[in-house]
Amino acid sequence: MKMKMKMKMRKSVLFLLLVTVVAPIVLYTDTLATYFTSSSSKTEFIEDVSTFTFGGDIRPLNVLPQESSSILEEPMGIVYSENSTQFLSNFSDASDGENAHVTRQLTEESMDGQTTISSTTSTNSSDNQSVVDENPIRQVTDMVHETQTGGRSSQETKSIGENGSWEVQTEAEKEMKSQDSKRTLGNGSADKETKHGRPYSQISGKDGAMEQAKSTTEKQNEQSILPDARVRHLKDQLIRGKVYLSLSATRNNPHFIRELRLRMKEVQRALGVATKDSELPRNAYEKLKAMELTLSKGKQIQDDCAAVAKKLRAMLHSTEEQLRVHKKQTLFLTHLTAKTLPKGLHCLPLRLSTEYFMLNSSQQHFPNEETLEDPKLYHYALFSDNILATAAVVNSTITHAKNPSSHVFHIVTDRLNYAAMKMWFLANPPGKATIQVQNVEEFTWLNSSYSPVLKQLGSPSMIDYYFKSRRVESDSNLKFRNPKYLSIMNHLRFYLPEIFPRLDKVLFLDDDIVVQKDLTPLWSLDLKGKEWRKQSITEVYHKWQNLNVDRLLWKLGTLPPGLITFWNNTYALDKSWHVLGLGYNPNIPQKEIERAAVVHYNGNLKPWLEIGIPKFRNYWAKFVNYDHIYMRECNISP
């Protein structure tokens, strides 16, 4: 009996133990069955373990409160993948009412602050059951997936493999896996993404901005690659070689110095005068690699970064000083070239003068002299000693004139070029237009007693400034030492009423311009009372010249006194009539030049000089007859 009683007690205890232990598990698993069976596949991994349905209520995990993605900053490159049993082991306390209430409140707050990943509700294809995708672990894994595929921040990235082990992926491997994942998304994984209502491309807010910024950065990095990199690399190698030649540690190694000098000669020979990679010889890359090996030896010999940096700073300082000296020399040579007559332009007036004096007196006159003072015609004034420049102005004006016979050109030059200027236009008459050439020495009324400028130009101080020997480096006003400032030809434009007393309107043209349109509409302009004689412009000019007798208001030239004299006494023309800067500014738009009536080569880079801007030269050169016998004899060519 006792034995039976003991057996029954054991069975009851065992039964009680089974009921106590197994029943909760059965209840637990039976409750979860409703969730697992609702998915389209029983073997599919649980996508969202933070929310489970109990009797129609959504109860979050009390140990995994959701965080907003703005807080999820680390870890970005390393994510631990855990299986479903680890998540379910923390679910046993979910029935606690207080904890569930607190957890639900935290979850709702974090859901309200969610800005990175858009929460969407999707319809299951099998039972149309709604599932909320707000799992924080999914957010982290998605961000890691995006980091691995789109925003690579390093050359190698650690990730979890398919078997749960760590993997180190190179850039090439990641690219291949990225392509595989894209193909998978286009095939088998499309249903999975649609089911959860979050397609791969549907990323809002911060993720989208990050991907866009990263793609933009990659594009900028591709565009920032310098052109002709091999030429730059060779030049950089020469600089590094010079550094090692001057360092004490490498100088004490004669074998290395001998090898380095040999490599530098090879690089210099390969580089030559090349400015583009396409201009380099075929063996340039071999020389580059050999030089790089030699430089690496120097780096091993001299590993003192402070010494190398000190030497580079010294080289930089020396280069900057050389640049400053070269800039000053360039400035001086530019001014010297601008005021020096080229050999061909010196030959031309001599050749023309010889021909002129061989003519008889009857052949030395121009036709149509009776029209020189006709106020009904269009009169132009040119004051120049440059025959070729004057010819280009006359030719361009007549070429674009609608009625060339109505145009009269009054040219005033100095005594030295008077015969040559006349001979050029006698040998090259400008069609039906009228030409007059005058010698400024014949203007007897223009003397030092009448003109303050002539008085100043003959003063001892002015002569001392121009002719006394001095160091060029000490003179800060090189441009004012141009001989044109000593000539009255430069100031002759302020005496137009005195030179042409019987004319009502005269259009003054500089000798460094080119006319591209008909200028006759200028004569029909209403100047609104701005006439030269009524404003007494010449007297105003004399007044300011007398005030500047000691050259304290301005040094030399006609621009400062001209601006002061004509202040508020001019009529403004439309800017399309006149384009400036072709003698110093290479960045003038071509459209502005082509639509302008007159283009002006003001500056030192005149089109008839070798230093002229090449792309602007043709606008001027097409109005010069280079086939003329005098041009060929003086070797003047485009």
Side-chain angles (χ1 to χ4, degrees), residues 440-458:
V440 68
E441 304 292 337
E442 297 177 357
F443 297 160
T444 56
W445 52 267
L446 189 60
N447 49 55
S448 58
S449 61
Y450 172 69
S451 173
V453 178
L454 284 175
K455 185 177 182 180
Q456 294 174 16
L457 292 177

Side-chain angles (χ1 to χ4, degrees), residues 131-179:
V131 179
V132 181
D133 188 7
E134 283 295 338
N135 186 359
I137 295 179
R138 179 175 175 82
Q139 296 172 12
V140 176
T141 56
D142 287 342
M143 294 175 69
V144 173
H145 179 65
E146 292 163 7
T147 304
Q148 291 176 353
T149 57
R152 302 179 179 89
S153 59
S154 62
Q155 294 297 321
E156 294 184 351
T157 306
K158 293 183 179 179
S159 61
I160 297 295
E162 294 178 356
N163 58 357
S165 62
W166 290 101
E167 295 180 349
V168 179
Q169 297 179 344
T170 62
E171 288 294 316
E173 292 172 347
K174 288 188 292 182
E175 184 65 22
M176 293 175 63
K177 290 188 177 182
S178 174
Q179 297 295 333

Side-chain angles (χ1 to χ4, degrees), residues 164-376:
S165 62
W166 290 101
E167 295 180 349
V168 179
Q169 297 179 344
T170 62
E171 288 294 316
E173 292 172 347
K174 288 188 292 182
E175 184 65 22
M176 293 175 63
K177 290 188 177 182
S178 174
Q179 297 295 333
D180 292 339
S181 65
K182 290 179 180 178
R183 287 193 291 269
T184 304
L185 287 173
N187 299 321
S189 300
D191 295 336
K192 179 179 177 180
E193 291 178 355
T194 306
K195 175 180 63 180
H196 294 287
R198 187 182 182 274
Y200 183 78
S201 61
Q202 187 177 353
I203 301 176
S204 62
K206 186 177 179 180
D207 286 348
M210 288 174 62
E211 287 192 357
Q212 185 177 3
K214 289 172 183 175
S215 62
T216 303
T217 304
E218 291 178 358
K219 291 181 180 179
Q220 291 177 350
N221 291 337
E222 293 177 359
Q223 295 176 356
S224 62
I225 298 176
L226 295 176
D228 305 312
R230 189 162 294 179
V231 171
R232 296 173 184 271
H233 195 174
L234 291 171
K235 292 180 179 180
D236 179 70
Q237 285 182 334
L238 291 176
I239 296 175
R240 290 157 60 192
K242 292 179 181 179
V243 172
Y244 285 127
L245 285 177
S246 60
L247 295 176
S248 57
T250 51
R251 280 204 310 266
N252 295 330
N253 191 327
H255 177 73
F256 170 76
I257 292 296
R258 201 163 36 245
E259 179 182 352
L260 179 60
R261 286 176 176 170
L262 176 62
R263 299 301 181 205
M264 291 180 67
K265 288 181 180 179
E266 292 177 351
V267 170
Q268 288 176 341
R269 211 175 288 119
L271 184 60
V273 294
T275 58
K276 300 179 181 179
D277 287 355
S278 58
E279 299 174 353
L280 292 173
R282 294 182 178 179
N283 64 345
Y285 184 63
E286 298 177 0
K287 305 301 181 184
L288 185 148
K289 291 193 297 184
M291 182 63 172
E292 201 64 37
L293 292 175
T294 304
L295 292 174
S296 63
K297 295 179 183 179
K299 186 177 181 180
Q300 295 175 358
I301 298 173
Q302 174 58 275
D303 57 354
D304 187 0
C305 295
V308 175
K310 182 178 180 180
K311 181 59 182 178
L312 286 173
R313 283 195 297 268
M315 292 175 64
L316 179 62
H317 177 75
S318 175
T319 304
E320 289 177 345
E321 183 64 21
Q322 291 179 8
L323 178 62
R324 186 188 66 82
V325 173
H326 287 317
K327 281 185 175 180
K328 193 168 185 178
Q329 291 177 349
T330 302
L331 179 64
F332 170 74
L333 292 175
T334 301
H335 286 290
L336 182 64
T337 304
K339 68 182 181 181
T340 302
L341 192 67
K343 185 177 181 180
L345 294 183
H346 179 71
C347 165
L348 183 61
L350 295 177
R351 181 73 177 84
L352 291 171
S353 297
T354 303
E355 291 291 331
Y356 178 78
F357 289 113
M358 293 178 65
L359 299 175
N360 55 46
S361 58
S362 62
Q363 296 174 327
Q364 294 178 352
H365 298 282
F366 292 103
N368 304 325
E369 292 184 354
E370 66 278 1
T371 62
L372 294 177
E373 297 181 349
D374 188 351
K376 297 179 181 180

